[in-house]
Amino acid sequence: MVVDDSAVVRGLETRILESDPAISVIASVGNGQAAVQALDRHDVEVIVLDIEMPVMDGITALPHLLKKAPGVKIVMSSTLTARNAEISLKALEAGASEYVTKPSSSRELTGGTDFKQELVDKVKALGAAARRAGGAPRTLARPAPLTPSPAAAGAATTPSRVPSLHQAGAQIQLRPAANDRPDVIAIGSSTGGPQALFTVLGGIKKAGGITQPILITQHMPATFTTILAEHIGRIAGLQAKEAENGEVIQNGRVYIAPGDWHMLVETKGTDKVLRLTQDPPENFCRPAVDPMFRSIAKAYGRRVLAAVLTGMGSDGARGGKVIADAGGTVIAQDEATSVVWGMPGATAQAGVCSAVLPLPDVAPYIHKFANRRV
């Protein structure tokens, strides 16, 4: 279902979506109230929801839509302004699954390919997730000993006892966690990532906190990353900010890769320093997780704990291998709790993870591992 007060935008978005044979737009309405009513007549998997509309705006409609159709995936749609970025982040906290930043004119909507591809990709991925969640229960062979529990995060696993598990029809081989206490925590995420980050950072705070710096690359445009840092700072109870070029990394702080910039780490004397670059996108993304992971492995060696959370694509898998090969520890979010099990799935299937965990277990694992005694 497409929800937008502009008939022109609704028509354009409908044509964009239905250009893919896997997508069918079964309802198109002009405000949030009409969208809520439409759920009485239509079985919808994904809703593209405008923020600013008459009668009932998107943020007001959101809880009503989720209450009426708990399994529906909602993509917030707005032009890129600081106010809309703030509203979109609040919507993600309130249960929306994703967001898209739509061009500010119908001419840009018609001519631009980036928005078209982003809209189609996100709707398809979320539609698949909605069908998985609403279909027959999946059987995941995940016996407790196979995915190390948070309590075991500080314990070394001998190579002969490294377990395997099955997810998404593939066998996943786990490797031993490092023996060293990490000096840095690195997190990569994309689709569904803001909610996952709020859960993980809030959980770390609840568990008692950590002293290491936390570096985060979340696939987001500029403006959004500024607002994301503010939300994370409030939720985590830590000083969180967008990274600045040349900034010395300090313990107990959270650094977010700014939109459209890769965030890297370099060693300068005894300091670890952030570098921002506009090198070409990787995995069609800038910022991307892989370059951050590679640079962190080079700067910190084996004293790294990296986590790959929900997201489309495979960003983080190759960089995760670099961290694991350097002796660091990599974990991934499991399929059942991921909005999209692309990035964490690719990382897990690369055989570089020491644990594949449900989202609620990620924060306890990080807290235990980061505070381990060695």
Side-chain angles (χ1 to χ4, degrees):
M1 177 162 59
V2 173
V3 187
D4 197 292
D5 62 322
S6 167
V8 172
V9 171
R10 291 200 306 274
L12 287 171
E13 289 185 347
T14 297
R15 286 195 291 276
I16 290 169
L17 290 168
E18 292 196 326
S19 68
D20 191 297
I23 300 173
S24 176
V25 178
I26 60 174
S28 175
V29 298
N31 62 70
Q33 182 175 303
V36 175
Q37 294 169 346
L39 290 180
D40 293 327
R41 305 185 300 275
H42 301 287
D43 183 12
V44 177
E45 293 171 338
V46 182
I47 299 172
V48 180
L49 182 64
D50 189 23
I51 287 178
E52 296 179 335
M53 296 178 289
V55 184
M56 182 184 288
D57 62 31
I59 197 70
T60 303
L62 177 63
H64 298 288
L65 294 166
L66 292 172
K67 182 178 180 180
K68 182 165 283 192
V72 75
K73 305 297 182 182
I74 297 180
V75 181
M76 304 305 295
S77 173
S78 70
T79 53
L80 185 55
T81 66
R83 178 178 179 275
N84 285 341
E86 176 68 35
I87 293 171
S88 295
L89 264 293
K90 287 181 178 177
L92 293 174
E93 286 187 75
S97 297
E98 252 295 353
Y99 65 91
V100 289
T101 53
K102 63 183 178 183
S104 56
S105 69
S106 58
R107 178 182 298 177
E108 292 173 341
L109 265 172
T110 305
T113 58
D114 290 347
F115 172 75
K116 294 178 182 179
Q117 194 63 52
E118 180 186 15
L119 183 63
V120 168
D121 287 348
K122 288 183 175 180
V123 167
K124 287 177 69 175
L126 292 173
R131 288 191 296 279
R132 286 197 307 269
R138 291 165 295 155
T139 300
L140 299 181
R142 293 189 287 118
L146 299 185
T147 302
S149 67
T157 306
T158 61
S160 62
R161 296 181 59 214
V162 176
S164 63
L165 55 90
H166 288 83
Q167 290 200 354
Q171 185 174 18
I172 295 168
Q173 189 69 33
L174 301 179
R175 64 166 65 193
N179 292 320
D180 300 283
R181 185 174 183 267
D183 289 336
V184 65
I185 312 299
I187 303 175
S189 53
S190 184
T191 309
Q195 308 97 308
L197 290 169
F198 300 151
T199 298
V200 171
L201 275 294
I204 291 172
K205 176 186 177 183
K206 185 177 180 180
I210 61 176
T211 59
Q212 293 90 337
I214 302 173
L215 276 60
I216 297 172
T217 289
Q218 159 71 35
H219 296 163
M220 268 187 164
T223 305
F224 271 78
T225 48
T226 304
I227 306 299
L228 177 66
E230 295 173 1
H231 281 246
I232 285 177
R234 173 173 51 80
I235 290 167
L238 296 170
Q239 183 173 337
K241 63 189 295 294
E242 281 187 313
E244 297 180 34
N245 190 50
E247 183 173 13
V248 175
I249 296 173
Q250 299 184 42
N251 282 338
R253 296 192 178 183
V254 182
Y255 300 93
I256 316 293
D260 202 34
W261 294 84
H262 294 309
M263 180 174 69
L264 312 178
V265 179
E266 294 179 354
T267 300
K268 188 174 183 179
T270 59
D271 293 327
K272 300 295 189 290
V273 177
L274 293 171
R275 293 296 181 201
L276 302 181
T277 79
Q278 288 200 312
D279 291 341
E282 293 193 29
N283 307 299
F284 308 102
C285 300
R286 191 171 63 203
V289 180
D290 277 339
M292 179 182 75
F293 277 4
R294 290 195 305 266
S295 70
I296 286 175
K298 183 177 181 180
Y300 288 93
R302 65 181 183 272
R303 293 184 177 274
V304 178
L305 173 58
V308 181
L309 305 179
T310 175
M312 291 191 300
S314 62
D315 193 20
R318 286 189 290 270
K321 185 178 188 304
V322 174
I323 288 174
D325 288 348
T329 301
V330 180
I331 64 174
Q333 185 177 348
D334 76 351
E335 182 188 12
T337 62
S338 294
V339 174
V340 179
W341 205 56
M343 288 166 50
T347 305
Q349 291 166 2
V352 303
C353 291
S354 298
V356 179
L357 302 167
L359 183 61
D361 291 349
V362 173
Y365 187 102
I366 292 174
H367 179 264
K368 180 79 173 180
F369 201 92
N371 288 288
R372 67 192 306 191
R373 295 178 180 177
V374 294

